[in-house]
Amino acid sequence: FDFSTVLDVGCGNGNILQTLLSAGKVIAGIEGSPAAFEAMDRSVRRMVVLHDLTVPVFLGHFDFVICTEVAEHLWPVHASILIETICAHTPAHIFFTAATPGQPGCFHHNTQPHQHWIDRFEAKQYQYSLDKSLQLRHELRLALRHTTWIARNALAFTRRIPSSLVPQCNVE
């Protein structure tokens, strides 16, 4: 992906943001867990908002939005809010992962097949890229040997229409 600015929704301990900051990217994050927020490196924490992910939030526009293994921890009723929050930031690209049915883990309230999330993002004018998803899955399998589920669940999306034509969302 070609991007300068990135938002990580549900950024956990901030490791992805730390890596992107070191690579010269302009970063921001949203985290719902006070414990994860406190565990972040200070250089990242000052660019992250502690916020309940079941409530809409808007931090501005970003080239790229990341959301890894968050959706399954929210109740299904809140999935629309998560998708709306991601898309409201009008990224050109989205990297998304979420646990699938039968995937082990704690507090998985909303496991869905990949097609469920593909349909949700496509309804918001984001095109699923099978080629990019497969490429990312391959690269992540090599890089993340102990977290194989992230590679297995990798989904890549590209915005179908220019951000100037994207309807403004009611996220505040």
Side-chain angles (χ1 to χ4, degrees), residues 64-85:
F64 186 43
V65 172
I66 297 168
C67 183
T68 54
E69 302 298 299
V70 175
E72 70 272 16
H73 298 286
L74 301 177
W75 291 103
V77 69
H78 296 118
S80 293
I81 294 169
L82 179 66
I83 300 298
E84 188 69 25
T85 296

Side-chain angles (χ1 to χ4, degrees), residues 9-25:
V9 178
C11 59
N13 61 13
N15 285 344
I16 293 172
L17 288 174
Q18 182 70 49
T19 300
L20 293 168
L21 180 63
S22 297
K25 305 299 182 182

Side-chain angles (χ1 to χ4, degrees), residues 38-163:
E38 289 302 318
M40 286 177 203
D41 185 271
R42 285 187 187 149
S43 65
V44 171
R45 189 182 321 136
R46 63 187 176 84
M47 294 175 233
V48 174
V49 173
L50 181 61
H51 182 81
D52 180 353
L53 293 172
T54 66
V55 177
V57 61
F58 180 73
L59 300 182
H61 299 284
F62 294 86
D63 302 329
F64 186 43
V65 172
I66 297 168
C67 183
T68 54
E69 302 298 299
V70 175
E72 70 272 16
H73 298 286
L74 301 177
W75 291 103
V77 69
H78 296 118
S80 293
I81 294 169
L82 179 66
I83 300 298
E84 188 69 25
T85 296
I86 292 167
C87 296
H89 294 90
T90 61
H93 305 285
I94 296 170
F95 174 76
F96 182 86
T97 73
T100 54
Q103 181 176 315
C106 298
F107 309 109
H108 285 184
H109 308 295
N110 188 25
T111 57
Q112 301 289 344
H114 291 155
Q115 192 62 50
H116 171 84
W117 301 112
I118 292 168
D119 293 345
R120 301 291 294 263
F121 281 107
E122 288 194 341
K124 294 289 187 181
Q125 299 303 311
Y126 282 87
Q127 179 67 46
Y128 171 65
S129 173
L130 176 60
D131 291 343
K132 189 64 153 174
S133 297
L134 292 175
Q135 176 189 351
L136 287 166
R137 288 175 189 172
H138 174 73
E139 291 172 9
L140 289 168
R141 270 189 212 98
L142 298 175
L144 305 174
R145 296 185 188 277
H146 300 291
T147 54
T148 57
W149 58 91
I150 293 175
R152 185 173 51 248
N153 294 328
L155 303 174
F157 299 91
T158 300
R159 188 178 58 236
R160 286 191 186 140
I161 58 177
S163 60

